[in-house]
Amino acid sequence: MSSGGSMGMGVGISPGNVSVYHGSNLKVFDRRIRVAELVLRCVICGLGVLAAALLASDTQVREIFSIRKKARFTDMKALVFLVIANGMAAAYSFIQGLRCAVSMIRGNFLFNRTLAWAIFSGDQVMAYVTVAAVAAAAQSGVLGESGQTELQWMKTCNMYQKFCNQVGEGVVSAAVVSLSMVMLSFISAFNLFRLFGDSSNKVKNNTCSGCW
Amino acid sequence: MSSGGSMGMGVGISPGNVSVYHGSNLKVFDRRIRVAELVLRCVICGLGVLAAALLASDTQVREIFSIRKKARFTDMKALVFLVIANGMAAAYSFIQGLRCAVSMIRGNFLFNRTLAWAIFSGDQVMAYVTVAAVAAAAQSGVLGESGQTELQWMKTCNMYQKFCNQVGEGVVSAAVVSLSMVMLSFISAFNLFRLFGDSSNKVKNNTCSGCW
């Protein structure tokens, strides 16, 4: 436990280990975390826009016994939710990524607790929203692909093959977005924790707040 | 910003404010956080078992033109996922709640980073799993309740009214479980952060790890 702690988490910024690590390991590690954060925010922004565009532009018209039928993403509420969620995630990540890039270029890292909590909370909320949206859309997608004979819901994807393929591409993009968002919220939790961390693994009897 | 920080988050355990707060405010606040955590874990355990039981025991038999049809939760993959997710959440919360209660009764709070991270990560994973399961099941529920005429999916809930009502109750319980899980993961992030926190809102130029 404690060896894992000192390996994985013990790169904090206490006076004790700054002197040891700061010249090489800590700076490299810091830089990697920063770059990972920026890359993830860019991935979310790009794939979020892609997913929303793929889904929102997806239509297919079929004629069945001279009746024109048009499939659109608005036919499924889950896809509308997914488009909105991905639009939100992309916009959020664009703003956050811009801030991230500007602060990296300028090299100034003004830090306060409220801001760090706000960023962590924002990442968390976006992660939950995108995970929920992908889950709902994936459920709809599975129903469209394989139907549910017990409930007399027929497969629709053999009728609207092109429409379904494009929905599938959109959902895969959105799944990558939500996974990236989950990873990002772990990184922002780690940053929050590490920035204020001291590396002393002391037993604290009086000041413990949670149930450990 | 900084006033918010010192109000909301500034109840950390730095040498500076322990002397001021520790006698009254901090202890009361600590106790509330601990009780809230224990209550949430109990709620998740109870409602998780309830949701899983409601869904897994839900069946309805109908005879339509002398053909017996039976609706079960296994007819919808989303409901199977929801039962599994709620079972997992209940078991996880039972173990965590037990630990929490034992540590409260004994009054000893052994704390180390790896363990705190493990608890936070566990809460996070369970929160994502339960949110995804509820989203998928809610999507199925909406389809069952109102159908989707564009895709020729008929309403099934007017056929299986009793079955659908019980699914609804299960999904509502599961939604409360997932909301509690989300709140809990915020609490465990807050504990993680606060336990290692110092209350100095300093500008740290060299040791910042993230993009702020």
Side-chain angles (χ1 to χ4, degrees):
Chain A
M1 280 287 203
S2 67
S3 74
S6 61
M7 267 170 61
M9 316 298 175
V11 279
I13 44 170
S14 77
N17 63 4
V18 162
S19 56
V20 182
Y21 286 115
H22 199 265
S24 55
N25 289 359
L26 187 60
K27 271 201 170 164
V28 170
F29 189 75
D30 272 0
R31 199 172 165 74
R32 277 187 194 157
I33 288 273
R34 263 203 295 266
V35 170
E37 191 179 340
L38 190 60
V39 167
L40 279 174
R41 294 210 190 272
C42 291
V43 165
I44 291 164
C45 189
L47 287 182
V49 169
L50 180 70
L54 276 172
L55 292 168
S57 67
D58 195 8
T59 54
Q60 188 174 5
V61 178
R62 282 286 303 263
E63 285 200 28
I64 303 151
F65 304 121
S66 78
I67 301 165
R68 270 173 71 92
K69 285 207 169 192
K70 191 171 182 180
R72 297 188 58 190
F73 81 104
T74 46
D75 294 344
M76 271 195 193
K77 289 177 196 82
L79 295 185
V80 177
F81 179 30
L82 192 59
V83 168
I84 294 170
N86 274 284
M88 278 167 60
Y92 174 79
S93 284
F94 180 73
I95 295 166
Q96 288 279 1
L98 216 63
R99 254 185 84 248
C100 195
V102 166
S103 74
M104 273 177 83
I105 293 164
R106 284 200 186 162
N108 59 342
F109 302 99
L110 184 71
F111 191 83
N112 77 49
R113 283 187 174 205
T114 316
L115 190 59
W117 263 99
I119 290 170
F120 171 65
S121 303
D123 288 351
Q124 280 272 287
V125 169
M126 287 312 306
Y128 289 124
V129 169
T130 51
V131 165
V134 167
Q139 167 63 17
S140 288
V142 168
L143 286 176
E145 189 63 52
S146 57
Q148 193 85 50
T149 47
E150 295 89 347
L151 303 174
Q152 289 153 37
W153 292 345
M154 55 183 287
K155 297 179 197 183
T156 44
C157 281
N158 42 10
M159 261 171 68
Y160 299 104
Q161 194 63 54
K162 179 245 154 198
F163 177 78
C164 273
N165 287 347
Q166 197 165 328
V167 166
E169 290 158 18
V171 170
V172 168
S173 299
V176 177
V177 167
S178 69
L179 269 181
S180 307
M181 208 65 232
V182 168
M183 284 164 66
L184 200 54
S185 77
F186 268 97
I187 288 182
S188 67
F190 183 61
N191 284 337
L192 186 62
F193 172 58
R194 203 161 69 103
L195 270 170
F196 286 93
D198 58 48
S199 65
S200 55
N201 274 325
K202 282 184 280 189
V203 179
K204 292 172 181 173
N205 283 311
N206 297 321
T207 51
C208 178
S209 57
C211 305
W212 304 106
Chain B
M1 278 291 199
S2 65
S3 76
S6 61
M7 268 170 61
M9 315 299 173
V11 280
I13 45 169
S14 78
N17 62 4
V18 162
S19 56
V20 182
Y21 287 115
H22 200 264
S24 54
N25 289 1
L26 187 61
K27 270 199 171 167
V28 170
F29 188 76
D30 271 1
R31 201 173 162 72
R32 278 187 193 157
I33 288 274
R34 263 202 296 266
V35 170
E37 189 178 342
L38 190 60
V39 166
L40 279 174
R41 295 211 190 272
C42 291
V43 165
I44 291 165
C45 188
L47 287 182
V49 169
L50 180 70
L54 276 172
L55 292 168
S57 67
D58 195 9
T59 53
Q60 187 174 5
V61 178
R62 282 284 305 262
E63 286 200 27
I64 302 152
F65 304 120
S66 78
I67 301 163
R68 271 174 69 93
K69 284 207 170 194
K70 191 172 183 180
R72 296 188 60 190
F73 81 104
T74 47
D75 293 343
M76 272 195 194
K77 288 178 197 81
L79 295 185
V80 177
F81 179 31
L82 192 58
V83 168
I84 294 169
N86 274 283
M88 277 168 60
Y92 173 80
S93 284
F94 180 73
I95 296 166
Q96 288 280 0
L98 215 63
R99 255 184 83 250
C100 194
V102 166
S103 73
M104 273 177 84
I105 293 164
R106 285 197 184 165
N108 59 344
F109 302 100
L110 184 71
F111 191 82
N112 77 50
R113 283 186 173 206
T114 316
L115 190 58
W117 262 100
I119 291 170
F120 171 66
S121 303
D123 287 351
Q124 281 273 288
V125 169
M126 287 312 305
Y128 289 123
V129 168
T130 52
V131 165
V134 167
Q139 166 62 16
S140 288
V142 168
L143 285 177
E145 189 63 53
S146 56
Q148 194 83 51
T149 46
E150 295 90 347
L151 304 174
Q152 289 155 37
W153 293 345
M154 55 183 290
K155 297 180 196 182
T156 43
C157 280
N158 41 10
M159 261 172 68
Y160 298 105
Q161 193 63 53
K162 179 243 155 199
F163 176 77
C164 273
N165 287 348
Q166 196 164 328
V167 166
E169 289 159 18
V171 170
V172 169
S173 300
V176 177
V177 167
S178 70
L179 270 181
S180 307
M181 210 65 233
V182 168
M183 283 164 66
L184 202 54
S185 77
F186 269 97
I187 288 182
S188 66
F190 183 61
N191 284 337
L192 186 62
F193 172 57
R194 203 159 70 102
L195 271 169
F196 286 94
D198 58 49
S199 64
S200 55
N201 275 325
K202 281 184 282 190
V203 178
K204 291 170 179 172
N205 282 311
N206 296 321
T207 51
C208 178
S209 57
C211 305
W212 305 105

